[in-house]
Amino acid sequence: MSTRTFVIFNLAGSALWAGSGIALGIIFHRQIQSLLTVLGELGNAALVVVAMALGLYIALRLYRRLRLSRIKARLPQMLPAELAQRMREGAPVVVLDVRAVGAGLVLSEGIAGALRIDIAALERDCPMDWPTDALVVTYCACPNDASAVKAAQSLNKRGRKAHVLNGGIEGWVRAGLPLEAVQSVD
């Protein structure tokens, strides 16, 4: 991309970002003014309410993280080097890429031979016609391997012994292992 094109797109994006905030302020100015009036009337109590809401939010996030780490600790995990070694040896392995796809996020590369599958489809009706002796390994790009843990837990509930790739795709890359095109499961 040329410098000129970059500057034009950057300015347009900045104007859109700033303009959207200003536009929302203009559209909702009455509601914002009412909220500020109520908060002003509450005085210090408003600070207490906001602090309590923030504290509750933080406590909920910590609880969810602790719960996830407990679930992850109960699931079998595999190091990237160990998975790569098994794949090189030709051991039967099914690698599931459960990274979320969002707007503008293209997941064209992943672990060689990995099957790209939506976690909701996996929980709903994913065909598990993989060899019964195959080791199933799930990976994602989430903090604490959250999606991979959820997928492995779902597979384990359905009678399939699944492992979580420790560190996900970032762990794989940090180990210096190659990425290739990812296949999708329909």
Side-chain angles (χ1 to χ4, degrees):
M1 178 181 293
S2 71
T3 304
R4 181 182 175 180
T5 304
F6 172 77
V7 169
I8 290 170
F9 281 124
N10 191 31
L11 288 173
S14 297
L16 182 63
W17 178 80
S20 63
I22 293 169
L24 288 172
I26 291 170
I27 293 169
F28 296 108
H29 74 278
R30 287 189 183 102
Q31 290 83 359
I32 294 169
Q33 185 61 44
S34 297
L35 177 64
L36 290 175
T37 302
V38 169
L39 290 175
E41 290 172 1
L42 289 175
N44 288 339
L47 288 176
V48 172
V49 169
V50 170
M52 286 176 53
L54 182 62
L56 184 62
Y57 173 76
I58 291 171
L60 179 63
R61 298 292 296 185
L62 288 172
Y63 168 75
R64 289 175 65 194
R65 183 168 288 216
L66 179 63
R67 190 172 142 252
L68 177 69
S69 65
R70 285 184 180 159
I71 292 170
K72 184 178 177 182
R74 288 191 300 252
L75 291 173
Q77 297 181 39
M78 181 168 287
L79 295 172
E82 184 182 355
L83 175 59
Q85 180 65 30
R86 286 180 185 244
M87 293 169 75
R88 276 192 299 273
E89 291 171 353
V93 178
V94 175
V95 182
L96 299 179
D97 179 349
V98 295
R99 292 178 290 170
V101 178
L105 179 61
V106 179
L107 303 176
S108 59
E109 289 188 321
I111 296 174
L115 301 174
R116 165 80 199 103
I117 186 165
D118 180 52
I119 196 164
L122 179 67
E123 291 178 338
R124 222 180 21 253
D125 59 334
C126 175
M128 294 195 315
D129 55 352
W130 311 307
T132 56
D133 63 335
L135 174 70
V136 178
V137 180
T138 62
Y139 76 90
C140 63
C142 308
N144 301 319
D145 303 321
S147 294
V149 167
K150 188 174 181 181
Q153 186 180 29
S154 175
L155 289 167
N156 286 339
K157 284 181 183 175
R158 292 167 55 198
R160 201 59 197 250
K161 190 72 171 176
H163 292 65
V164 175
L165 182 64
N166 203 351
I169 191 75
E170 290 89 5
W172 183 267
V173 171
R174 273 193 310 271
L177 299 165
L179 297 176
E180 293 185 12
V182 176
Q183 308 168 32
S184 289
V185 174
D186 296 323

